[in-house]
Amino acid sequence: MTSLPANPPSPTVPAAPVRTGALRALQVFGRSFGTVWSNGKARVGLVILAVFVLVAIFAPVLAPYSPHANDFTPDAGGSSAHLLGTTGAGEDVLSQLLYGARVSIVVGFVAGGLSTLVAVAVGLSWGYLRNWLGEVVNFVVNLFLVVPGLPLMIIIAAYLQNGGLPVIVLVVVITGWAWGARVLRAQTQSLRSRDFVTAALFSGESASRVVFREILPNMTSMIAGSFFGAATAAVLAESGLSFLGLGDPFTVSWGSMLYWAQNSNALLTGQWVLLFAPGLCVALLATAMTLVNFGVDGLSNPRLREGNGR
Amino acid sequence: MSLLDVKNLSVVYEPRGAEPTMAVKDASFRIEEGEFVGLVGESGSGKSTLGFALTRLAKPPARIAGGRILFDGTDVAALDSEQLRRQRHGGFAMVLQSGMNALNPVRTVGHHFADIFAAHGHVPRQRRRSRAVELLEKVELTGAVLDRYPGELSGGMRQRVSIALALSLEPRLMVFDEPTTALDVMVQHAVMRTIRELQEREGFTAVLISHDLGVVLESTARVMVMKDGVIVEDAPSREIFERPQHAYTRTLLGHYADPRAEVVELPGLPADGRRTAPAGGGRGRAAAQAAIVVEDVSRVYPGRRRGDTPVAAVREVSFRLEPGQSMALVGQSGSGKSTLAKLITGVEQPSSGTISFGDLRVDRLRRRKLHKLHADVQMVFQDPYAALNPLHTVEYALTRPVVNFTGRSGADARRRVLELLEIVGLTPVEQFAARLPHELSGGQRQRVVIARALAADPQVLIADEPVSMLDVSLRAGVLALLRDLREDFGVSLLYITHDLLSARMVTDRIMVLHEGRVVESGPTAQVLRFPEHDYTTRLLDSLPQPARRFAAAGSDGDAA
């Protein structure tokens, strides 16, 4: 039985609208998007990113052939049948390029997302802790920061050879979370000394509620920034590892295209498009995400929104 | 000809993606050579914007929209950056509110002087050091400061250094923008005295921008009062003090009173005489039953670096806060007031001594048990701009303690939240409940903070400088609210402040804290009217008292 108040409720007390939470979240998202969009550089980045995402989703529709079909004349130049020519193994370059976007986008978002998740979990709890455990985390994070990323990646990938995409994602996450964790920890520490966090303690809030409802929402822009940073690094790492032959050479990705192009001496045979096109795509995608990050900065720093200040 | 002639000056703020606002509207005034003029207004009145415009420091999104500023006959707005730089020598200079933070932390004070001398080349190389010492002596510092880094100086010393730096270019016009606001009361008093004497001796023209009419009246010969970008009154200080014309000036002036007077009244806060009767009647729901007992409490902080001597913030303090009593804890910054508040609320633990509340031993509470203490002991924070999470609505901020401490939920909790808003006078309650903190003014925010403290139905309220961040005209409302709450609900109040006047208005008893020790305590009116300890007297003397100046100086008062 619902416990209705004994005295008749005054007409001024309707129950709180249930959807306000979701609605407000949507509003906040809309406003954040507007802020990012209002930044010129970020707008360019968002458009490029959107194009790549659409290409990745609609690759089967857009691509003229299957990326694995290898029954064409090998080493052909651009023609109306094969706009960007064919590879040494006789595959259509354009189809491979379009399908390759899938791998890069997926790795970028999944690995970027996962490493941000780890960074947030570690950064928040590390910033909130004030005992010896903090020292332990500090040591571990420093360890990951001090070991150079690429060699570590190569070694891990070499051990887990031929695991395909999941391994690449894992490797990127392992090597990529530490930087974000440190940044978020610093922010947590500065936020936790703010009055409103102490006030939450006086309101009788539990530690987890203080962390997730008071501190975390105030770091959204930093988390978004850290996500795009990690995603950029993940895209570059994926192509790098594939280019070195440490990924699965039979999945079609921009990195593996570069790997095969290198193996078949594409430059010597005049097939520069083979190297140029995937390389340009990797660079463009990474640039797009970096550009988006310019706008994300404006989210947390209103002064950057003022514009002409400098 | 006047040194400064401002004609129909308008300054507009044009932030991108927001409505432009007129910060200064059609201001016209003249300042004669050697005059000392005050510019008074509350936050947002446009006084600093005007000051920045005068010294050509206004930056986008601020823009001079109309009018002219003639400095010694030349239009300031027309100067290019090189002309501007050159005129800084013998032209106009500005001392900022945060002037103490304007020094480069990795360069010594001597370097700062050397930079200015080198940039303008008006002091020969071999004379530079002696000239710097000379300037420092003008602001009552010694040459020894030259080899120190800004971080090694106190706030007051740094502000003195920045005044000396401004003087080094022998400006004809000095603009002081809230030069003492960020400083401690007693330091404030000393720095203002230096500025006053300096101006008299050197004879430069000066503009003193301040929110504090008392400080301005005590120092300047003429006062301009600003409200919403308009100069509403411009008259000699004595005139302003004795016969204010504009209603707004009268309001500002009304908030000054001498805490030593027999009867103290402020607008919205009637005389304190009637509160001798104990808080009776009321609703009694939250009436305090337990006393807070503090015995021999000390708190020592370890030195910052290894080898530094530990700092004792609180030393052997003992007192009782009886149920329903209101007690003031006063002292300058660094006297240990806020540390004591943290100890009593269990946020920090004392190094020695005991604190108990009823049968709770506060000094031994573990973090998880704090919940129990905070059900009865709540805190009102100093800075209403920092104490509310910018992302949560007022309703959320108030619902949480209601749910956590009173066990209400759903519609029941919401009813209580609206009731709380009603108590602190934020009506219509429905509208305020849905607002985010940035949609509220400072005074409204502080009311929300107070409502949140009340949400737990506490027995004791600890208020840490609850009005120091608010404009004077808002203070009375918040103070009256605190006083009424005590009377209506019978909660005990520990009121922490450096402001003796407000202590006089809301409390029955007072404790004066100096360097962590209680130096004097007793009934508020008695301690403030007949202080026994030398430190209490000094605190009282550091209050701006325009009445004293005009009374003592007699008819030749503003000739100085």
Side-chain angles (χ1 to χ4, degrees):
Chain A
M1 196 181 104
T2 45
S3 59
L4 280 167
N7 50 338
S10 58
T12 54
V13 189
V18 185
R19 282 178 304 129
T20 42
L23 209 72
R24 196 173 284 281
L26 209 68
Q27 257 177 9
V28 169
F29 180 78
R31 205 158 3 132
S32 315
F33 187 81
T35 312
V36 177
W37 184 255
S38 69
N39 181 309
K41 290 178 195 159
R43 205 177 307 164
V44 173
L46 280 175
V47 169
I48 301 177
L49 195 58
V51 168
F52 275 118
V53 170
L54 289 177
V55 164
I57 294 173
F58 295 109
V61 184
L62 297 172
Y65 310 101
S66 155
H68 293 293
N70 55 0
D71 39 12
F72 308 112
T73 329
D75 288 329
S79 64
S80 59
H82 305 285
L83 282 178
L84 296 178
T86 57
T87 66
E91 298 138 327
D92 180 48
V93 174
L94 180 64
S95 305
Q96 288 208 324
L97 205 60
L98 294 175
Y99 273 95
R102 295 189 139 190
V103 174
S104 287
I105 293 280
V106 166
V107 169
F109 279 82
V110 172
L114 284 178
S115 66
T116 308
L117 216 64
V118 176
V120 168
V122 173
L124 271 176
S125 45
W126 183 20
Y128 199 73
L129 284 176
R130 271 187 188 162
N131 49 21
W132 57 270
L133 217 68
E135 293 295 312
V136 175
V137 180
N138 189 26
F139 178 78
V140 175
V141 172
N142 282 345
L143 208 63
F144 276 96
L145 282 173
V146 91
V147 174
L150 193 63
L152 181 63
M153 254 186 238
I154 292 173
I155 289 166
I156 302 176
Y159 268 100
L160 305 171
Q161 190 104 44
N162 295 332
L165 275 191
V167 167
I168 300 248
V169 168
L170 185 74
V171 169
V172 170
V173 171
I174 290 177
T175 54
W177 62 276
W179 181 80
R182 191 163 267 285
V183 171
L184 292 175
R185 174 243 195 174
Q187 181 71 0
T188 307
Q189 279 185 328
S190 97
L191 281 171
R192 73 162 290 172
S193 64
R194 297 270 287 275
D195 274 356
F196 67 78
V197 175
T198 316
L201 185 71
F202 274 89
S203 296
E205 300 281 53
S206 61
S208 67
R209 236 190 132 95
V210 169
V211 169
F212 289 109
R213 295 304 299 271
E214 306 287 334
I215 295 179
L216 183 66
N218 279 295
M219 309 202 300
T220 331
S221 68
M222 279 223 158
I223 294 171
S226 151
F227 167 73
F228 283 110
T232 312
V235 167
L236 293 175
E238 188 275 330
S239 346
L241 288 177
S242 301
F243 171 67
L244 293 173
L246 291 164
D248 177 359
F250 299 103
T251 29
V252 176
S253 79
W254 295 335
S256 66
M257 285 174 76
L258 288 169
Y259 171 72
W260 288 116
Q262 177 78 5
N263 274 5
S264 58
N265 293 324
L267 271 188
L268 292 181
T269 59
Q271 289 278 79
W272 56 272
V273 177
L274 263 184
L275 280 171
F276 185 74
L280 184 71
C281 285
V282 170
L284 259 182
L285 182 57
T287 312
M289 296 212 208
T290 310
L291 286 174
V292 173
N293 240 348
F294 276 106
V296 171
D297 283 345
L299 278 182
S300 60
N301 192 344
R303 196 173 282 196
L304 291 177
R305 267 182 263 162
E306 300 283 303
N308 43 3
R310 80 210 55 221
Chain B
M1 189 175 60
S2 316
L3 180 67
L4 190 71
D5 186 358
V6 176
K7 282 181 195 151
N8 307 101
L9 179 71
S10 296
V11 182
V12 64
Y13 274 90
E14 293 167 327
R16 217 166 26 166
E19 285 294 295
T21 34
M22 278 291 216
V24 177
K25 295 171 197 157
D26 204 22
S28 299
F29 57 89
R30 286 156 180 266
I31 295 177
E32 305 300 325
E33 185 99 48
E35 216 182 355
F36 195 176
V37 179
L39 185 58
V40 180
E42 297 195 346
S43 48
S45 63
K47 56 186 190 307
S48 290
T49 310
L50 181 53
F52 277 104
L54 293 183
T55 47
R56 258 295 294 274
L57 287 170
K59 273 188 299 223
R63 185 174 66 81
I64 295 180
R68 275 191 308 167
I69 306 168
L70 294 179
F71 178 76
D72 203 15
T74 49
D75 190 350
V76 168
L79 297 177
D80 66 30
S81 60
E82 179 53 26
Q83 284 169 324
L84 189 68
R85 190 187 77 78
R86 237 178 284 130
Q87 76 73 40
R88 297 269 179 219
H89 176 215
F92 40 78
M94 188 158 185
V95 176
L96 301 169
Q97 174 172 7
S98 50
M100 57 273 252
N101 300 328
L103 305 176
N104 187 339
V106 296
R107 314 202 71 205
T108 63
V109 171
H111 279 128
H112 285 85
F113 281 100
D115 286 346
I116 295 180
F117 295 150
H120 288 273
H122 62 296
V123 180
R125 195 171 288 275
Q126 58 279 13
R127 274 261 304 129
R128 281 182 187 168
R129 194 170 171 93
S130 58
R131 174 69 182 145
V133 172
E134 206 176 292
L135 286 162
L136 285 172
E137 276 164 2
K138 285 186 185 179
V139 292
E140 291 161 33
L141 292 174
T142 60
V145 173
L146 279 180
D147 298 319
R148 312 265 296 270
Y149 288 90
E152 299 170 329
L153 306 175
S154 70
M157 287 164 94
R158 273 181 280 165
Q159 188 62 295
R160 283 169 194 271
V161 168
S162 56
I163 294 172
L165 286 171
L167 280 177
S168 67
L169 289 170
E170 295 135 31
R172 291 167 67 194
L173 172 70
M174 286 272 269
V175 178
F176 296 94
D177 185 11
E178 305 259 14
T180 60
T181 306
L183 301 173
D184 180 57
V185 257
M186 286 172 91
V187 183
Q188 233 175 50
H189 187 61
V191 172
M192 270 321 297
R193 203 196 59 230
T194 307
I195 291 178
R196 229 165 19 234
E197 288 171 3
L198 203 59
Q199 194 273 334
E200 272 169 39
R201 215 171 38 226
E202 308 277 315
F204 53 76
T205 314
V207 178
L208 172 65
I209 300 174
S210 176
H211 68 280
D212 192 335
L213 186 57
V215 167
V216 169
L217 280 177
E218 217 180 23
S219 313
T220 61
R222 199 177 107 205
V223 177
M224 295 188 286
V225 182
M226 244 181 130
K227 183 178 194 277
D228 298 331
V230 181
I231 297 179
V232 295
E233 190 161 358
D234 180 355
S237 308
R238 197 187 184 86
E239 202 99 316
I240 294 261
F241 181 69
E242 285 167 357
R243 288 175 295 279
Q245 298 299 315
H246 196 274
Y248 181 67
T249 316
R250 280 199 287 273
T251 322
L252 283 183
L253 209 55
H255 290 283
Y256 283 90
D258 190 342
R260 279 170 289 200
E262 202 170 334
V263 178
V264 184
E265 275 195 49
L266 291 183
L269 266 178
D272 54 356
R274 68 180 176 88
R275 283 184 309 110
T276 43
R283 294 201 240 168
R285 178 176 39 182
Q289 293 113 30
I292 286 186
V293 183
V294 176
E295 269 170 23
D296 278 331
V297 161
S298 300
R299 178 71 171 104
V300 181
Y301 291 105
R304 247 188 225 175
R305 272 163 290 178
R306 212 167 291 174
D308 281 8
T309 42
V311 184
V314 174
R315 308 176 204 211
E316 292 147 29
V317 170
S318 303
F319 67 89
R320 280 177 75 90
L321 180 64
E322 300 293 346
Q325 196 180 45
S326 75
M327 175 142 74
L329 203 55
V330 300
Q332 68 190 106
S333 54
S335 61
K337 325 183 280 288
S338 293
T339 308
L340 208 46
K342 284 183 196 156
L343 297 178
I344 294 172
T345 52
V347 174
E348 281 189 21
Q349 266 144 27
S351 312
S352 65
T354 62
I355 301 169
S356 54
F357 171 72
D359 45 10
L360 268 185
R361 276 291 296 275
V362 178
D363 53 306
R364 295 229 192 106
L365 273 189
R366 309 284 259 121
R367 211 184 152 92
R368 290 198 183 152
K369 294 276 182 63
L370 276 180
H371 187 84
K372 254 172 102 179
L373 177 69
H374 291 158
D376 288 321
V377 179
Q378 278 288 329
M379 177 116 174
V380 176
F381 291 83
Q382 172 174 15
D383 182 355
Y385 295 90
L388 293 173
N389 191 330
L391 301 176
H392 291 320
T393 59
V394 169
E395 177 167 355
Y396 179 88
L398 296 182
T399 307
R400 294 312 302 162
V402 168
V403 169
N404 286 335
F405 290 117
T406 65
R408 294 183 173 92
S409 58
D412 211 16
R414 184 168 159 79
R415 189 175 9 259
R416 174 67 180 148
V417 167
L418 298 183
E419 197 179 297
L420 284 166
L421 285 172
E422 184 97 48
I423 291 174
V424 295
L426 290 178
T427 48
V429 287
E430 290 280 344
Q431 274 180 30
F432 277 103
R435 297 228 178 129
L436 285 169
H438 71 87
E439 298 166 323
L440 303 173
S441 72
Q444 288 170 340
R445 285 178 202 217
Q446 195 60 303
R447 282 166 192 270
V448 174
V449 172
I450 293 175
R452 178 172 60 190
L454 290 176
D457 276 338
Q459 299 183 28
V460 182
L461 273 187
I462 315 260
D464 188 359
E465 307 256 16
V467 295
S468 68
M469 308 290 282
L470 302 177
D471 278 326
V472 274
S473 59
L474 295 173
R475 284 183 189 182
V478 173
L479 290 178
L481 174 63
L482 280 176
R483 206 161 84 175
D484 294 346
L485 287 174
R486 201 173 68 77
E487 283 164 13
D488 295 348
F489 297 96
V491 294
S492 346
L493 176 68
L494 184 65
Y495 181 74
I496 298 170
T497 187
H498 66 266
D499 175 17
L500 299 171
L501 180 61
S502 63
R504 175 78 195 266
M505 298 312 295
V506 295
T507 62
D508 304 328
R509 290 186 67 78
I510 194 168
M511 278 199 318
V512 183
L513 219 58
H514 179 44
E515 289 174 358
R517 276 181 221 283
V518 177
V519 295
E520 192 166 357
S521 66
T524 308
Q526 192 197 330
V527 169
L528 293 183
R529 289 184 63 199
F530 313 105
E532 279 171 11
H533 196 276
D534 174 48
Y535 178 73
T536 318
T537 321
R538 285 200 341 252
L539 261 186
L540 281 162
D541 282 341
S542 66
L543 293 174
Q545 288 301 336
R548 207 168 29 189
R549 174 189 180 199
F550 295 118
S555 53
D556 54 5
D558 13 358

